């Protein structure tokens, strides 16, 4: 089952959604917490469901679930037991499915659209540390330790009915390889792997994006590879580097170009772009076939992307 392929058979670009945490903050929720958007999953899941709905309405072909920072260890630190932690991780998938089903039940929403799918977010080990290490890597863990970290959440997300996995903001090639290996334990699921990058050639931990692609390209369960939560200024070059190494669809969902300050737990600097959604056309021209937004982007940015995507002849 490859939900990406079925959508890309029907349209030139698959529209990914935009930021969840930013949108929650914009709507007045306080995320100053180690669990980040997972805190709202615990306290106000209906707020997350509404944002998923709004992204579908804006034109997103998939929802990335609120499980980025939701881990069994993280919830256990909050006093939940294993079963409660797993149930909460699964809730992130269920509310995304509910939002999608509500959206799709309305016939007027279906015109010219493919049925959206649910991509369950698998954040990196660095996101669990909650100190900004998803932009650094070098955790000092072995491949086996990384597999052990990712296994239970991955199983929970799959069992909850996710259509695929969104392994995102991965800073480290070793972690991507651990995930790739772990996928073999779940042969019925596909995944995208998306790295965070430090410049126009290299992922956060240092290896070139091209080298990462060479090592992951042979895995049939990985159905798209790309870059997210990275400044838009690096994106065109990274796409071109990627295109040389793979025939899989390249996905990009950059942030607005600000820098994450782990100490302040906030974003610094000014957005790098005028109109994010318009700039995204450059990424299409460079060869990206799945485009959306990461931190600080909004439903309005996704509406602009979906606008030019649906206006294209195909
Ligand atoms: Zn981000």
């Amino acid at each position: 089952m490859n939900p990406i392929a079925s959508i890309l058979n029907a349209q030139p670009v698959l529209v990914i959604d935009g930021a969840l945490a930013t949108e929650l903050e914009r709507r007045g929720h306080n995320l100053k917490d180690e669990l980040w958007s997972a805190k709202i999953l615990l306290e106000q899941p209906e707020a997350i469901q509404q944002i998923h709905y709004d992204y579908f309405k804006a034109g997103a072909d998939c929802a990335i679930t609120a499980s980025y920072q939701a881990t069994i260890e993280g919830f256990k630190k909050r006093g939940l037991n294993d079963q409660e932690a797993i149930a909460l991780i699964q809730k992130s998938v269920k509310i995304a499915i509910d939002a999608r089903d509500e959206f799709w039940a309305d016939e007027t929403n279906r015109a010219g659209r493919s049925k959206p799918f649910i991509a369950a977010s698998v954040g990196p080990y660095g996101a669990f540390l909650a100190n900004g290490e998803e932009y650094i890597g070098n955790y000092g863990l072995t491949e086996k330790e990384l597999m052990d970290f990712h296994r239970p959440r991955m199983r929970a997300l799959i069992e909850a009915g996710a259509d695929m996995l969104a392994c995102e903001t991965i800073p480290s090639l070793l972690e991507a390889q651990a995930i790739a290996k772990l996928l073999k334990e779940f042969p019925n699921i596909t995944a995208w792997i998306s790295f965070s990058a430090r410049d126009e050639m290299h992922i956060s931990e240092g290896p070139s994006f091209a080298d990462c692609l060479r090592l992951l390209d042979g895995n049939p369960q990985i159905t798209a590879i790309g870059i997210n939560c990275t400044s838009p200024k690096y994106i065109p070059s990274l796409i071109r580097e990627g295109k040389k190494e793979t025939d899989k669809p390249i996905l990009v969902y950059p942030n607005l170009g600000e820098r994450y300050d782990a100490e302040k737990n906030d974003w610094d600097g000014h957005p790098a772009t005028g109109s994010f959604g318009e700039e995204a056309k450059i990424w299409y021209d460079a060869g990206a076939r799945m485009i959306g937004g990461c931190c600080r982007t909004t439903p309005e940015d996704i509406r602009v992307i979906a606008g030019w995507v649906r206006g294209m002849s195909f």
Side-chain angles (χ1 to χ4, degrees):
M1 198 190 68
N2 179 356
I4 291 175
S6 26
I7 290 194
L8 286 179
N9 279 333
Q11 57 194 63
V13 175
L14 188 159
V15 181
I16 302 172
D17 66 2
L20 182 64
T22 311
E23 194 56 21
L24 283 165
E25 284 183 324
R26 225 161 60 104
R27 297 180 187 194
H29 299 278
N30 177 13
L31 304 184
K32 298 282 179 228
D33 186 283
E34 278 195 5
L35 294 178
W36 205 35
S37 46
K39 174 176 183 270
I40 309 298
L41 193 57
L42 192 61
E43 294 167 2
Q44 287 165 293
E46 65 288 349
I48 295 175
Q49 189 172 325
Q50 182 62 48
I51 292 174
H52 286 318
Y53 184 91
D54 293 346
Y55 274 120
F56 291 137
K57 197 86 184 162
D61 293 308
C62 67
I64 302 175
T65 62
S67 46
Y68 178 76
Q69 212 148 12
T71 62
I72 291 165
E73 288 92 316
F75 286 138
K76 278 166 88 172
K77 278 205 272 179
R78 283 309 193 77
L80 276 66
N81 64 31
D82 277 280
Q83 284 89 337
E84 289 166 334
I86 288 169
L88 199 52
I89 288 165
Q90 296 191 321
K91 191 175 207 173
S92 72
V93 176
K94 297 205 168 88
I95 57 178
I97 292 174
D98 286 349
R100 190 269 318 273
D101 289 349
E102 185 193 349
F103 174 77
W104 204 243
D106 182 345
E107 291 280 342
T108 60
N109 287 331
R110 296 191 189 186
R113 296 283 299 264
S114 305
K115 185 177 181 182
F117 66 90
I118 308 307
S121 176
V122 174
Y125 179 74
F128 155 70
L129 298 175
N131 60 3
E133 283 212 37
E134 60 255 62
Y135 310 105
I136 301 168
N138 292 312
Y139 313 125
L141 297 189
T142 64
E143 184 182 73
K144 182 186 176 300
E145 286 168 327
L146 288 166
M147 287 171 74
D148 289 344
F149 169 76
H150 280 292
R151 186 179 292 105
R153 173 175 54 178
M154 216 181 254
R155 179 181 296 121
L157 293 168
I158 294 167
E159 285 175 355
D163 296 307
M164 69 174 300
L165 301 173
C167 307
E168 51 177 0
T169 329
I170 307 292
S172 147
L173 176 56
L174 181 68
E175 185 166 31
Q177 289 176 298
I179 289 169
K181 207 165 174 181
L182 190 54
L183 285 173
K184 296 185 180 145
E185 297 179 19
F186 306 100
N188 295 324
I189 199 82
T190 58
W192 80 53
I193 305 272
S194 184
F195 293 96
S196 64
R198 60 159 62 170
D199 59 28
E200 47 280 278
M201 298 276 285
H202 303 93
I203 67 163
S204 291
E205 197 178 85
S208 75
F209 181 47
D211 281 344
C212 297
L213 279 158
R214 262 194 292 279
L215 286 161
L216 296 170
D217 194 43
N219 187 317
Q221 285 176 268
I222 300 174
T223 52
I225 308 182
I227 301 285
N228 74 292
C229 216
T230 293
S231 172
K233 68 182 175 192
Y234 300 141
I235 294 298
S237 152
L238 286 160
I239 296 167
R240 286 191 290 270
E241 289 298 305
K243 286 290 290 174
K244 293 180 201 158
E245 303 296 337
T246 186
D247 292 326
K248 296 183 198 281
I250 302 276
L251 67 108
V252 293
Y253 49 115
N255 56 36
L256 277 194
E258 300 147 301
R259 195 181 61 82
Y260 184 69
D261 184 328
E263 269 168 35
K264 286 198 299 187
N265 188 17
D266 208 346
W267 295 84
D268 258 353
H270 295 291
T273 68
S275 167
F276 183 90
E278 290 297 330
E279 185 174 358
K281 280 183 198 157
I282 297 170
W283 313 330
Y284 172 77
D285 291 339
R289 289 299 172 264
M290 299 170 60
I291 296 175
C294 202
C295 300
R296 314 289 272 176
T297 61
T298 67
E300 188 48 38
D301 294 313
I302 300 309
R303 200 180 327 278
V304 174
I305 295 171
W308 61 257
V309 166
R310 311 236 191 271
M312 282 163 75
S313 53
F314 178 60

